[in-house]
Amino acid sequence: MMTRRPVPRLVPFFNHVAKPLVAAGMPMGPNGMLTVRGRTSGEPRSTPLAIIEVDGRRWVWSPWGDVHWVRNLRAAGKATIQVRRSQLDVTAVELDPAERVAFFRDTFAPYARRIPFGGRFVRLFDGVDISDPVEAAKDRAVFELRAVSY
C-alpha cells in the first residue's frame, strides 16, 4: 500500500498560482495540466504538474505518494493533459515497483540532470534524491500516459 507524504506548504500556493497560468497556455517548463474525473464526484479535477516527456513517451509522478490526483487517475485510468495550448486524451498505466525504479534511474534522473539545477530543484522542492532510484521510487506513484487513438 502506497502512503501519503506531507506536502510542503509552498506546493498549494504554487498550484494556486500555476493553475490559471498553465490553463492559459503559459510556458512553464515541463509543467502542464492533468484533468481527471473525481473518483466520487465524477467532476473533472485539474492539477498542474510536471509532465515528463522523453523520446515521445510521457509520464507523471507524485513526489508525495498517494494524493488525491493519484487516486483519481488510478480509478479513472484516463485523463486529459494540456501542455501550453495543446490537449491530448491519454490512458494512464501505473508502473509497478520495479518499473518505478527503472523510471527514476533511466528516464527521470537523466532528464532532471539536463535541466540547469534540475537535480537540486527535485531534491529541495520534491524531497527526492535522484541519485538513489530505489529510494526515489519507494511510495511514489508513477504513471505512463499513452495517447488515446480514435
Side-chain angles (χ1 to χ4, degrees):
M1 178 93 183
M2 191 166 293
T3 59
R4 182 176 178 183
R5 298 167 190 259
V7 177
R9 291 180 187 247
L10 184 60
V11 172
F13 172 76
F14 172 78
N15 285 349
H16 180 72
V17 171
K19 192 173 182 176
L21 296 174
V22 171
M26 167 98 42
M28 295 186 70
N31 291 312
M33 188 78 69
L34 176 86
T35 302
V36 61
R37 294 234 174 256
R39 63 194 177 285
T40 55
S41 71
E43 296 295 319
R45 304 292 183 196
S46 296
T47 304
L49 44 74
I51 299 172
I52 309 305
E53 186 167 348
V54 176
D55 296 332
R57 296 173 69 187
R58 294 176 192 86
W59 296 267
V60 291
W61 70 287
S62 174
W64 303 289
D66 206 22
V67 294
H68 289 292
W69 74 259
V70 168
R71 289 180 280 190
N72 288 339
L73 187 56
R74 190 178 287 135
K78 60 184 179 178
T80 301
I81 57 172
Q82 177 188 337
V83 178
R84 294 181 181 78
R85 296 199 184 269
S86 298
Q87 286 193 348
L88 182 65
D89 292 330
V90 296
T91 57
V93 177
E94 188 167 9
L95 304 187
D96 67 29
E99 292 169 326
R100 290 195 310 261
V101 171
F103 166 78
F104 281 103
R105 181 190 59 232
D106 303 333
T107 304
F108 188 71
Y111 175 86
R113 288 184 184 114
R114 284 193 299 267
I115 300 169
F117 305 106
R120 286 189 197 146
F121 179 86
V122 171
R123 184 181 301 217
L124 291 173
F125 191 70
D126 297 331
V128 174
D129 181 0
I130 60 173
S131 66
D132 185 351
V134 173
E135 186 61 30
K138 191 180 196 179
D139 286 334
R140 291 189 170 92
V142 180
F143 294 89
E144 183 171 359
L145 304 178
R146 299 176 181 164
V148 174
S149 19
Y150 294 100

